[in-house]
Amino acid sequence: MSNDQLVIAGKAYSSRLLVGTGKYRDFAQTAEALDASGAEIVTVAIRRVNLGQNADEPNLLDFLPKNRYTMLPNTAGCYSADDAVRTLRLARELLDDHRLVKLEVLGDPHTLFPNVRETLKAAEVLVKEGFDVMVYTSDDPIVARELADIGCCAIMPLASLIGSGMGILNPWNLKLIIEEAKVPVLVDAGVGTASDAAIAMELGCDGILMNTAIAAADDPVLMARAMKLAVEAGRAAYRAGRMPKRFYSATPSSPSEGVISARKL
Amino acid sequence: MPNMMKIRINGEDRALGDVVTLADLIAELDLAGKRVAIEKNGEIVPRSRHGEERLSDGDELEIVVAVGGG
């Protein structure tokens, strides 16, 4: 397993689980869950600073050791290409010329479905400006192809709606995207529990990005560990190559010969 | 106070007096030493230039931090 690494924008990672830092009880719990997840890449959001009050408010970045985690600033909450690009330029400045980013441009506040047209527009600008763009998108294989052609370093289709925990709703589309992709494909959004993560990895996804499935569990730290194991198990199963399914055709696992004979009663 | 400037910070208008540079403003807002990034009128102002970047009436600033998110 040790040489089965996830390579994104030229950098190798041992963990295929990427996690978000939102919705935890506090930063201490965030740090504990991140640790249990084994994640090496963690997303952060960029927001206006609170002015006035809370001058001594703790800062998320103080809880995330820089040498342990690769930050993945996102554009969550942006509804236009322009806002997303500006947000990531701010992130680059904030994180000292940091290049790896997660682009998401939303199209609807209820479904949080991506606005693909704006996403493509933003991706072109960001790639030209030297960003390494991991991009959240719909599970449309053609859009995935176009985003890869633009130069995005990872394609991240939704498995179901952000924060819904509805699981892998369209494995067929994910499979189409995975089979064609020249860059890593990560499921971003929709995973609800460990089996969802395993299913995504068994399909051949290169990794999974999740937040709510861990943060909204009753015990986020335990769920973080569950997700780590599920991603590892799913990946191992994918690499091992599953047995073919035999519909309506049972095959015994034990030898057919040598069964003791029936006695007349 | 002479030369009050109106500056829009994170979507809110503020009237400011003794502020000449962005570094002055950062101190005024109690943000000195904090991990923030600043955009002025749509352009990033790198940290290294906060001391020399002069503010003018009507400037629009976005001052951001990293927060938890997915």
Side-chain angles (χ1 to χ4, degrees):
Chain A
M1 283 299 283
S2 61
N3 56 3
D4 176 41
Q5 291 188 306
L6 170 64
V7 178
I8 294 176
K11 192 172 168 198
Y13 301 90
S14 305
S15 171
R16 291 175 178 273
L17 174 58
L18 289 65
V19 298
T21 54
K23 300 188 187 169
Y24 289 95
R25 191 181 58 219
D26 50 35
F27 288 151
Q29 190 188 55
T30 311
E32 211 186 329
L34 261 49
D35 181 55
S37 76
E40 294 165 282
I41 300 177
V42 301
T43 62
V44 297
I46 304 298
R47 288 291 180 271
R48 286 170 162 174
V49 68
N50 269 334
L51 292 171
Q53 321 88 340
N54 312 329
D56 293 318
E57 210 174 21
N59 184 330
L60 170 66
L61 296 180
D62 297 334
F63 286 80
L64 307 176
K66 209 178 161 185
N67 50 8
R68 168 153 183 200
Y69 298 114
T70 297
M71 296 293 153
L72 185 64
N74 70 23
T75 60
C78 290
Y79 283 80
S80 72
D82 188 51
D83 286 353
V85 168
R86 285 172 56 214
T87 297
L88 291 178
R89 287 177 185 149
L90 280 162
R92 178 157 72 181
E93 159 67 10
L94 185 69
L95 299 172
D96 306 316
D97 205 32
H98 180 88
R99 300 291 162 134
L100 186 68
V101 296
K102 171 182 161 182
L103 170 65
E104 73 176 70
V105 186
L106 303 176
D108 180 83
H110 300 294
T111 61
L112 301 181
F113 232 84
N115 181 326
V116 163
R117 193 199 304 256
E118 292 294 306
T119 302
L120 287 160
K121 229 185 333 180
E124 294 211 26
V125 175
L126 291 166
V127 167
K128 269 192 201 124
E129 293 187 11
F131 285 94
D132 294 321
V133 181
M134 303 179 72
V135 59
Y136 167 68
T137 183
S138 62
D139 63 3
D140 180 330
I142 308 305
V143 172
R145 181 196 298 165
E146 289 184 6
L147 287 164
D149 287 346
I150 285 170
C152 292
C153 67
I155 306 300
M156 305 202 290
L158 51 78
S160 49
L161 302 183
I162 292 176
S164 72
M166 289 170 70
I168 315 299
L169 295 189
N170 195 340
W172 309 102
N173 272 31
L174 289 178
K175 194 86 184 156
L176 282 174
I177 293 172
I178 291 161
E179 276 170 7
E180 191 189 335
K182 294 162 286 187
V183 295
V185 176
L186 292 83
V187 156
D188 179 3
V191 166
T193 188
S195 52
D196 297 334
I199 288 168
M201 293 308 292
E202 286 171 8
L203 285 172
C205 284
D206 295 281
I208 302 180
L209 171 46
M210 66 177 78
N211 190 150
T212 309
I214 296 174
D218 289 341
D219 183 341
V221 177
L222 187 55
M223 187 57 90
R225 178 170 152 69
M227 290 301 186
K228 173 190 191 324
L229 297 171
V231 168
E232 286 175 4
R235 177 67 183 175
Y238 169 72
R239 294 179 73 214
R242 64 152 297 151
M243 62 164 282
K245 281 184 186 171
R246 285 180 214 173
F247 292 101
Y248 306 109
S249 166
T251 322
S253 306
S254 306
S256 313
E257 295 82 38
V259 179
I260 61 168
S261 56
R263 287 176 69 220
K264 279 209 173 107
L265 293 173
Chain B
M1 206 180 279
N3 298 329
M4 288 291 272
M5 272 193 296
K6 203 174 85 179
I7 297 196
R8 200 168 176 79
I9 307 172
N10 290 354
E12 273 180 43
D13 285 328
R14 295 196 167 216
L16 295 160
D18 296 328
V19 164
V20 177
T21 66
L22 201 45
D24 297 338
L25 178 72
I26 290 167
E28 173 82 17
L29 296 174
D30 279 333
L31 294 174
K34 296 263 158 69
R35 293 269 309 260
V36 297
I38 303 180
E39 177 199 75
K40 190 183 100 170
N41 303 330
E43 302 286 332
I44 300 294
V45 184
R47 221 163 304 156
S48 58
R49 287 216 325 258
H50 287 179
E52 64 203 62
E53 185 76 20
R54 298 175 79 86
L55 295 171
S56 320
D57 196 50
D59 277 347
E60 287 188 29
L61 301 177
E62 292 286 348
I63 308 180
V64 302
V65 290
V67 302

